[in-house]
Amino acid sequence: MVKSTGHKKINTSVFISGYGTNLRNLIKFAKRYNSPIKITFVVSSKKNAKGLVFSKKHNIDSKFYSFKKKKIKENDILTNLKKRNIDLICLAGFMKILSKNFIKKFKGKILNIHPSLLPKYKGLNTHERVLDNKEKYSGCTVHLVDAKLDSGKIILQKKVKIKKDDDSHSLAKRILKEEHILYPKAIKKLIANL
Ligand code: GRF
């Protein structure tokens, strides 16, 4: 379990693969004086992930892991996380699936954000599928990560109304805006409910 002792901020690692707008937003959140977290390590599954500019800008250590020999890489990540006393992992656009063993080691301490109203539309291409099915609403979900894809206890969700002229880009953009509000709220909720 994630434990916050007094005013000590929880050492947090953010895992990314892409643009990192959620990372950028979480860094902003962590920098607030009353934030319960401190981001001290960024893991990227892509060498040139755009999001790495944000960790660089804020002098946060980051490391790229290719995930090719998954077990070896994961053990390396775990060693690094331990060394840095990381107590919370936030997946933010992280495109790799973590092993059962990894998840077990951080049980109840890994959050993910997914751009749909889970348990609906797990996996990739959520917006396209939502639009194909002529849904009225979509949204985003922050949930704890367990061994199954996009499963695990839901911490918070935000509904987003679909507009008649939405395409996957416009919908993704509107949902992403909500993600940036939802993720910090979910982190606070997770930590407050301990
Ligand atoms: C977000 O839509 C997130 O929900 C999904 O991947 C996207 C990542 O965006 N898992 P960014 O890299 O944080 O900008």
Side-chain angles (χ1 to χ4, degrees), residues 37-182:
I37 63 160
K38 186 177 178 198
I39 298 170
T40 51
F41 189 43
V42 170
V43 167
S44 174
S45 70
K46 279 210 187 122
K47 198 169 188 176
N48 297 314
K50 289 223 168 74
L52 288 169
V53 299
F54 302 119
S55 48
K56 279 199 193 94
K57 191 173 161 199
H58 293 276
N59 291 319
I60 299 168
D61 272 355
S62 66
K63 206 166 174 216
F64 153 68
Y65 293 90
S66 76
F67 279 83
K68 278 200 180 116
K69 281 182 187 152
K70 204 167 164 191
K71 203 166 173 193
I72 300 170
K73 302 289 175 202
E74 280 196 344
N75 284 337
D76 193 1
I77 298 176
L78 284 167
T79 309
N80 244 312
L81 296 174
K82 204 170 168 197
K83 219 162 60 188
R84 294 158 196 267
N85 293 315
I86 297 292
D87 218 11
L88 177 68
I89 296 173
C90 295
L91 307 183
F94 182 66
M95 298 301 285
K96 298 284 174 185
I97 293 173
L98 296 166
S99 72
K100 276 187 189 147
N101 173 58
F102 186 101
I103 293 165
K104 215 163 81 190
K105 296 245 162 72
F106 269 85
K107 199 164 182 274
K109 298 178 177 187
I110 311 177
L111 284 172
N112 182 39
I113 187 149
H114 184 76
S116 80
L117 293 173
L118 290 174
K120 288 175 106 178
Y121 301 101
K122 297 175 180 180
L124 297 174
N125 306 318
T126 47
H127 309 302
E128 286 84 351
R129 288 185 285 136
V130 161
L131 292 169
D132 283 350
N133 286 344
K134 308 215 178 319
E135 296 279 5
K136 289 203 169 71
Y137 291 93
S138 189
C140 45
T141 305
V142 176
H143 64 96
L144 282 171
V145 172
D146 68 10
K148 287 188 225 125
L149 180 72
D150 297 329
S151 301
K153 190 179 170 218
I154 291 173
I155 305 297
L156 275 183
Q157 272 185 326
K158 173 74 185 176
K159 249 186 175 181
V160 173
K161 202 171 179 344
I162 295 172
K163 293 180 182 168
K164 274 209 180 98
D165 58 352
D166 261 334
D167 58 19
S168 60
H169 293 288
S170 61
L171 183 59
K173 207 171 151 192
R174 267 203 335 285
I175 291 179
L176 194 60
K177 253 192 185 165
E178 295 298 339
E179 291 182 32
H180 296 160
I181 301 169
L182 195 71

